[in-house]
């Protein structure tokens, strides 16, 4: 009788640990996505308000070691001029990943947006962020797709 009680107690304990760990992981993922989303929004707002030097500070070391700040700022400025006036953005999806192909294991967040710019149609943007060794979320990649709209000029 005692052994059945002990086995039942141990089973309940093990099941409880599983659910607590599972719940903690889900909460942690949501927390990481919320924090990374804040960094993504700040970075996109800096881009759309032409605060390119501040946006540069939000980039990951992998980017800043490859691009001089003045060259990067000039390139982003040309890109944004070609998009035209910013008209809004809506988040379409978000995903947390602990690994990405070709990159070391770590914390990554991928955000997809539908965006509205004056000179583009069906504009979508993707941001990939990663958490650095100081637990700050940094922009690792920015990509976009769109169809040319009225007045689009590639410079």
């Amino acid at each position: 009788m005692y052994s059945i009680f002990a086995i039942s107690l141990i089973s309940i304990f093990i099941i409880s640990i599983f659910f607590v760990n599972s719940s903690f992981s889900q909460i942690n993922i949501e927390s990481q996505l919320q924090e990374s989303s804040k960094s993504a929004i700040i970075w996109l707002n800096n881009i759309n308000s032409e605060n390119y030097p501040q946006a540069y500070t939000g980039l990951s070391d992998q980017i800043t070691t490859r691009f001089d700040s003045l060259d990067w700022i000039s390139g982003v400025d040309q890109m944004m001029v070609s998009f035209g006036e910013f008209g809004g953005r809506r988040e379409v999806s978000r995903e947390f990943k602990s690994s990405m192909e070709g990159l070391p294991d770590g914390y990554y967040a991928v955000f997809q947006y539908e965006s509205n710019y004056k000179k583009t149609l069906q504009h979508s943007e993707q941001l990939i962020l990663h958490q650095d060794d100081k637990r700050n979320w940094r922009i690792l990649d920015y990509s976009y797709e769109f169809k040319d709209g009225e007045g689009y000029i590639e410079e």
Side-chain angles (χ1 to χ4, degrees):
M1 178 87 167
Y2 178 73
S3 63
I4 293 174
F5 176 74
I7 292 172
S8 295
L9 191 56
I10 290 170
S11 297
I12 291 171
F13 179 72
I14 290 171
I15 290 170
S16 297
I17 289 174
F18 173 75
F19 283 118
V20 167
N21 282 341
S22 176
S23 296
F24 177 75
S25 293
Q26 187 62 35
I27 290 168
N28 189 37
I29 288 171
E30 287 304 315
S31 172
Q32 296 295 338
L33 284 171
Q34 286 177 354
E35 288 302 310
S36 58
S37 176
K38 290 176 189 176
S39 295
I41 290 167
I42 289 168
W43 190 82
L44 289 167
N45 286 342
N46 282 328
I47 293 293
N48 293 126
S49 63
E50 299 179 17
N51 190 357
Y52 305 135
Q54 189 62 37
Y56 185 82
T57 67
L59 298 174
S60 71
D61 288 343
Q62 289 93 323
I63 304 297
T64 58
T65 57
R66 291 189 333 202
F67 296 100
D68 171 74
S69 65
L70 296 177
D71 291 339
W72 185 86
I73 289 168
S74 175
V76 169
D77 183 52
Q78 289 176 11
M79 176 185 69
M80 297 310 292
V81 166
S82 70
F83 291 173
E85 185 179 335
F86 175 66
R89 173 181 292 113
R90 182 179 73 86
E91 184 181 305
V92 176
S93 67
R94 57 174 57 186
E95 183 179 5
F96 177 84
K97 296 183 175 195
S98 57
S99 64
M100 293 192 70
E101 188 175 330
L103 297 170
D105 288 348
Y107 286 175
Y108 297 92
V110 180
F111 294 90
Q112 300 279 345
Y113 303 94
E114 288 179 355
S115 303
N116 183 0
Y117 291 93
K118 188 172 185 170
K119 298 178 182 178
T120 66
L121 300 172
Q122 298 176 5
H123 196 117
S124 64
E125 297 173 300
Q126 176 179 277
L127 270 182
I128 300 175
L129 293 87
H130 79 99
Q131 194 175 66
D132 67 15
D133 59 350
K134 295 178 183 150
R135 298 182 49 104
N136 295 315
W137 285 97
R138 303 284 183 186
I139 307 303
L140 185 61
D141 184 60
Y142 169 75
S143 59
Y144 55 88
E145 290 183 7
F146 61 86
K147 291 184 179 179
D148 293 351
E150 185 177 325
Y152 176 77
I153 302 166
E154 188 165 336
E155 297 178 5

